[in-house]
C-alpha cells in the first residue's frame, strides 16, 4: 500500500487502479487457481463417508472428463497434423514445378497456380512447421528475459540500454512479421476467428505503437513509456502455445462473468462502508504537524495542551515557545523573524553519569516582538479567566500556556502582549506548524474513503488508519489518544465482511469454474 501511495503521488490518483487490479486479479483470482487445483486433488483423495457406488460414480465422472480433455487435445493435434501433411503434399507439388491451383494441388488437377496461391501455400506451410512454433516460443522467452533485465537504474546512455532498445525494436519487427505472415497464410477473417490470435495481435500492435512513439522523439516520450509498459503482456503469448496454460487461461475467461457479479457485490459493500466512513471520520483525520513533515507536534513542549490544539491555533503558522517558572508558553509569531531573542545569562552544561547524557540548565533569554507580531498579540490579549486556565488557546491562535505557576505565566504573557517583551528561562524556539491531513489516507470524499477500505481489506498498514480513527475527536480539533475506542469496531466489521467474506466469494467462483 505504501508503494501504491507513492505511485499516486508520482503519477496521479489514477495510479491506484493498477494496484487495485493487481490485488484483485493476482490475489483474489489467479492465486485462487492454486487453491482450486489443491481442493480438486484433495476431493479425489478424500473418499471417507462415500458408498462404493458413489465412489465408482465419482471415479467414472473423473475418467470421462479426463477422456474428454484428452480427446479434445488429440483432435486438435490430429487436425493440425492432417493440415500439415496436406501442405507438405502441396509444397512438394510446387517444388516439382507442377503449377497447380490451390484446389487442384489438393486433387492433383492440371490447372495453373497463381503467384498468390503459391505464396500463400508456402506461408501456411511455414507457420505450421513445428520448428517455426519453437522459434516463436524462443523469441518470446528471450524477449521476456530482456524485459526483466531492463530497469530505471540502467543509464540511458549506457551500451546496455542502447542494446536493449535495439533488441526491443527487433523483437517488435519479428513479432509483427509473424502476425502479418499468419494473416496472409490463413486469411484475415480466419486469423481473427481465433481468440488467441486476437490476443497476440493486440499485444504486437501495442508494442509497435510504443516503439514508433519512442522513435518519434522526446515530445511523445511519456506516451511511449506508457505504451511500452504493455510489453509485460508478451509472456501471455506462451498461453496459446502450451496446453496446460491454455486450460488455466480458459478457466479464467470462463470465470469472468460470475466474477463481475461478485465484483458488483464487492463494490456495493465498499460503497456502504465508504458512506459510513464519511459520516464517522470526515474532516476528523486532520492534525497539527511540524511544518514540512508528517510528524505530529509535541503540544505540551510547545506550551499548549493537546485538548486545546485547534485548527485555528495551528493555522496561525508559527509560535515562539519559551519557559516561565516551570511553565511552557507559546506566543504567536508573524514568521521566522517575528521575534528577536538574545541570551542574557549563559547556560550550565554537565554530564549526567547515571543517564550517560549531557544536561543543560540555567540561563535566561529576552525576546522582542516585531511590529507585525505585537499588533496581533495586542488584538488578542491574554485572559486568565478562560475556563481552561493556563492551557488557554485563543480564537486567533496567538497564545497558549501549560504549567503550574499561574501568576508568573499571567504576568509574562500580559507583558508580552502589551509591550512585545518576553523573558524565558529556557532557550526560546520558533516552531512552524500546519494543519494537514495524513499523506496516505483520509475520509474527505467517497473515493478516498473507498481507497482506505481497500487498504484495510489487504490487511496491510490498516492498523495505522484504525488507531488514528480511534484518536479522532472532531473536525477542527487535534486527535487525542484513544478518544473514541468504539471506532475500532468499524474496521473489525469491515474486515470480516469486506476481506474474509468477499474474498471467499472470489474463491468460490474460481473453484467452481475450474
Amino acid at each position: 500500500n505504501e508503494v501504491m501511495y507513492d505511485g499516486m503521488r508520482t503519477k496521479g490518483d489514477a495510479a491506484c487502479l493498477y494496484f487495485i487490479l493487481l490485488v484483485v486479479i493476482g490475489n483474489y483470482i489467479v492465486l485462487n487457481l492454486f487453491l482450486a487445483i489443491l481442493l480438486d486433488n484433495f476431493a479425489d483423495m478424500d473418499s471417507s463417508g462415500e458408498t462404493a457406488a458413489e465412489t465408482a460414480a465419482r471415479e467414472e465422472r473423473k475418467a470421462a472428463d479426463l477422456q474428454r480433455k484428452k480427446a479434445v487435445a488429440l483432435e486438435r493435434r490430429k487436425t493440425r497434423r492432417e493440415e500439415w501433411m496436406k501442405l507438405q503434399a502441396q509444397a512438394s507439388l510446387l517444388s516439382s514445378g507442377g503449377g497447380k491451383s490451390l484446389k487442384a494441388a489438393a486433387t492433383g488437377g492440371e490447372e495453373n497456380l497463381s503467384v498468390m496461391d503459391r505464396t500463400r501455400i508456402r506461408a501456411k506451410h511455414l507457420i505450421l512447421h513445428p520448428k517455426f512454433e519453437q522459434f516463436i516460443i524462443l523469441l518470446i522467452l528471450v524477449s521476456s528475459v530482456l524485459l526483466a533485465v531492463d530497469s530505471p537504474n540502467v543509464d540511458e546512455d549506457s551500451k546496455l540500454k542502447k542494446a536493449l532498445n535495439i533488441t526491443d525494436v527487433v523483437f517488435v519487427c519479428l513479432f509483427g512479421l509473424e502476425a502479418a505472415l499468419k494473416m496472409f497464410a490463413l486469411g484475415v477473417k480466419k486469423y481473427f476467428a481465433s481468440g488467441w490470435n486476437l490476443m497476440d495481435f493486440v499485444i504486437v500492435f501495442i508494442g509497435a505503437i510504443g516503439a514508433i512513439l519512442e522513435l518519434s522523439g522526446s515530445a511523445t516520450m511519456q506516451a511511449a513509456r506508457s505504451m511500452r509498459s504493455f510489453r509485460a503482456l508478451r509472456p501471455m503469448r506462451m498461453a496459446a502455445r502450451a496446453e496446460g496454460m491454455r486450460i488455466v487461461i480458459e478457466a479464467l475467461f470462463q470465470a469472468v462473468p460470475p466474477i463481475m457479479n461478485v465484483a458488483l457485490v464487492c463494490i456495493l459493500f465498499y460503497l456502504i462502508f465508504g458512506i459510513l466512513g464519511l459520516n464517522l471520520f470526515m474532516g476528523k483525520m486532520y492534525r497539527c504537524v511540524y511544518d514540512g513533515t508528517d510528524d505530529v507536534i509535541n503540544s505540551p513542549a510547545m506550551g499548549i495542551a493537546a485538548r486545546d490544539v485547534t485548527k485555528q491555533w495551528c493555522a496561525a503558522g508559527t509560535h515562539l515557545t519559551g519557559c516561565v517558572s516551570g511553565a511552557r508558553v507559546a506566543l504567536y509569531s508573524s514568521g521566522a523573524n517575528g521575534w528577536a531573542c538574545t541570551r542574557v545569562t549563559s547556560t550550565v552544561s554537565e554530564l549526567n553519569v547515571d543517564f550517560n547524557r549531557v544536561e543543560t540548565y540555567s540561563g535566561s533569554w529576552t525576546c522582542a516582538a516585531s511590529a507585525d507580531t505585537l499588533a496581533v498579540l495586542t488584538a488578542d490579549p491574554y485572559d486568565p479567566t478562560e475556563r481552561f486556565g493556563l492551557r488557554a488557546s485563543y480564537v486567533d491562535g496567538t497564545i497558549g500556556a501549560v504549567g503550574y505557576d499561574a501568576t508568573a505565566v499571567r504576568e509574562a504573557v500580559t507583558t508580552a502582549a502589551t509591550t512585545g517583551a518576553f523573558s524565558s528561562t529556557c532557550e526560546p524556539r520558533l516552531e512552524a506548524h500546519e494543519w494537514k491531513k495524513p499523506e496516505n489516507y483520509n475520509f474527505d470524499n467517497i473515493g478516498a474513503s473507498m481507497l482506505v477500505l481497500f487498504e484495510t481489506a489487504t490487511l496491510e498498514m490498516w492498523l495505522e488508519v484504525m488507531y488514528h480513527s480511534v484518536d479522532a475527536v472532531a473536525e477542527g480539533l487535534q486527535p487525542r489518544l484513544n478518544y473514541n475506542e468504539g471506532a475500532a469496531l468499524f474496521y473489525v466489521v469491515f474486515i470480516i465482511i469486506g476481506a474474509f467474506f468477499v474474498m471467499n466469494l472470489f474463491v468460490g467462483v474460481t473453484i467452481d469454474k475450474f
Side-chain angles (χ1 to χ4, degrees):
N1 289 329
E2 186 173 352
V3 177
M4 178 183 71
Y5 288 120
D6 287 342
M8 291 172 63
R9 285 188 289 271
T10 304
K11 297 295 183 180
D13 293 343
C16 69
L17 296 177
Y18 167 80
F19 295 93
I20 292 173
L21 290 175
L22 180 64
V23 171
V24 173
I25 296 175
N27 187 26
Y28 290 172
I29 300 177
V30 174
L31 290 183
N32 287 334
L33 287 174
F34 290 96
L35 183 59
I37 295 171
L38 178 65
L39 292 179
D40 184 58
N41 293 331
F42 183 76
D44 294 337
M45 296 170 57
D46 185 16
S47 58
S48 59
E50 288 186 349
T51 63
E54 290 174 340
T55 302
R58 179 171 56 80
E59 292 295 335
E60 185 177 350
R61 288 194 301 270
K62 180 181 177 181
D65 185 58
L66 182 60
Q67 191 63 33
R68 180 184 60 80
K69 292 180 179 179
K70 286 183 177 180
V72 171
L74 286 173
E75 183 64 27
R76 186 182 293 122
R77 286 195 291 269
K78 181 180 177 182
T79 302
R80 189 178 181 86
R81 182 170 180 79
E82 288 176 351
E83 192 168 2
W84 165 251
M85 295 298 293
K86 180 180 177 181
L87 286 170
Q88 282 280 65
Q90 293 174 351
S92 298
L93 287 172
L94 286 174
S95 61
S96 64
K100 311 296 181 181
S101 67
L102 189 59
K103 180 178 178 181
T107 59
E110 298 296 331
E111 302 174 17
N112 291 329
L113 275 171
S114 66
V115 176
M116 184 65 71
D117 288 338
R118 294 184 184 187
T119 309
R120 180 171 283 113
I121 289 174
R122 288 194 173 94
K124 198 169 184 180
H125 181 265
L126 175 62
I127 66 173
L128 290 177
H129 197 289
K131 298 294 183 182
F132 179 82
E133 198 68 22
Q134 294 170 9
F135 176 68
I136 296 300
I137 291 176
L138 178 63
L139 287 181
I140 294 173
L141 290 175
V142 174
S143 173
S144 301
V145 170
L146 292 179
L147 287 177
V149 171
D150 196 4
S151 76
N153 295 326
V154 178
D155 187 5
E156 290 290 337
D157 297 325
S158 65
K159 293 182 179 180
L160 175 60
K161 185 65 174 179
K162 292 177 180 178
L164 290 173
N165 291 336
I166 293 173
T167 54
D168 183 63
V169 174
V170 171
F171 281 121
V172 168
C173 294
L174 290 175
F175 291 138
L177 181 61
E178 177 211 2
L181 192 61
K182 286 186 175 181
M183 280 190 283
F184 174 74
L186 302 175
V188 175
K189 185 175 181 181
K190 187 176 180 181
Y191 175 81
F192 286 111
S194 170
W196 298 105
N197 287 339
L198 180 61
M199 182 188 72
D200 278 359
F201 179 80
V202 170
I203 295 173
V204 170
F205 180 76
I206 292 176
I209 294 297
I212 292 171
L213 288 175
E214 186 167 1
L215 293 173
S216 64
S218 59
T220 55
M221 187 59 69
Q222 186 61 40
R225 289 197 180 100
S226 300
M227 296 295 290
R228 281 167 61 86
S229 63
F230 286 95
R231 295 180 303 173
L233 295 174
R234 284 181 188 171
M236 281 288 293
R237 303 183 66 206
M238 290 289 295
R241 296 162 173 83
E243 194 66 34
M245 291 181 65
R246 185 194 291 260
I247 292 174
V248 173
I249 298 297
E250 287 177 350
L252 281 177
F253 286 144
Q254 291 173 5
V256 167
I259 283 177
M260 292 303 296
N261 293 331
V262 173
L264 290 176
V265 174
C266 177
I267 291 174
L268 179 62
F269 278 119
Y270 273 62
L271 186 62
I272 293 172
F273 278 90
I275 295 172
L276 185 59
L278 285 177
N279 285 276
L280 291 175
F281 308 117
M282 184 169 62
K284 297 181 182 180
M285 310 301 278
Y286 286 75
R287 67 268 195 272
C288 193
V289 299
Y290 292 110
D291 188 35
T293 72
D294 280 325
D295 299 327
V296 179
I297 65 168
N298 182 1
S299 52
M302 293 188 66
I304 186 168
R307 73 173 66 181
D308 301 320
V309 178
T310 65
K311 177 180 179 180
Q312 292 167 323
W313 183 89
C314 188
T318 306
H319 283 82
L320 177 78
T321 60
C323 303
V324 177
S325 299
R328 280 279 183 174
V329 175
L331 300 172
Y332 169 81
S333 175
S334 60
N337 300 317
W339 290 85
C341 297
T342 304
R343 177 181 293 174
V344 177
T345 59
S346 300
T347 58
V348 177
S349 298
E350 64 180 29
L351 177 65
N352 187 325
V353 180
D354 295 334
F355 293 96
N356 191 28
R357 67 188 182 192
V358 175
E359 294 182 344
T360 302
Y361 56 92
S362 298
S364 62
W365 287 259
T366 58
C367 300
S370 67
D372 292 339
T373 299
L374 183 58
V376 175
L377 289 173
T378 305
D380 187 26
Y382 181 72
D383 182 7
T385 63
E386 201 267 355
R387 66 187 184 91
F388 286 126
L390 295 181
R391 297 171 301 181
S393 61
Y394 292 83
V395 174
D396 295 327
T398 56
I399 299 173
V402 56
Y404 306 99
D405 193 337
T407 302
V409 170
R410 184 184 306 115
E411 293 176 353
V413 172
T414 301
T415 301
T418 54
T419 66
F422 176 68
S423 297
S424 174
T425 56
C426 64
E427 185 175 3
R429 307 180 71 177
L430 282 169
E431 299 282 3
H433 38 74
E434 57 181 327
W435 187 256
K436 63 184 293 188
K437 60 187 175 183
E439 192 173 24
N440 292 340
Y441 57 88
N442 65 81
F443 287 87
D444 289 352
N445 56 71
I446 188 62
S449 181
M450 293 177 69
L451 191 60
V452 172
L453 295 177
F454 170 75
E455 176 183 341
T456 303
T458 63
L459 302 181
E460 181 184 348
M461 295 172 59
W462 70 280
L463 287 174
E464 179 184 357
V465 183
M466 184 188 73
Y467 288 137
H468 192 162
S469 301
V470 169
D471 296 342
V473 178
E475 188 172 355
L477 294 180
Q478 181 84 338
R480 300 207 298 274
L481 183 64
N482 296 334
Y483 179 82
N484 181 19
E485 295 180 348
L489 292 176
F490 171 80
Y491 295 91
V492 173
V493 173
F494 174 75
I495 287 176
I496 293 174
I497 296 177
F500 300 151
F501 175 67
V502 172
M503 182 179 178
N504 286 330
L505 285 178
F506 282 98
V507 174
V509 168
T510 306
I511 292 176
D512 179 65
K513 290 302 175 182
F514 186 81

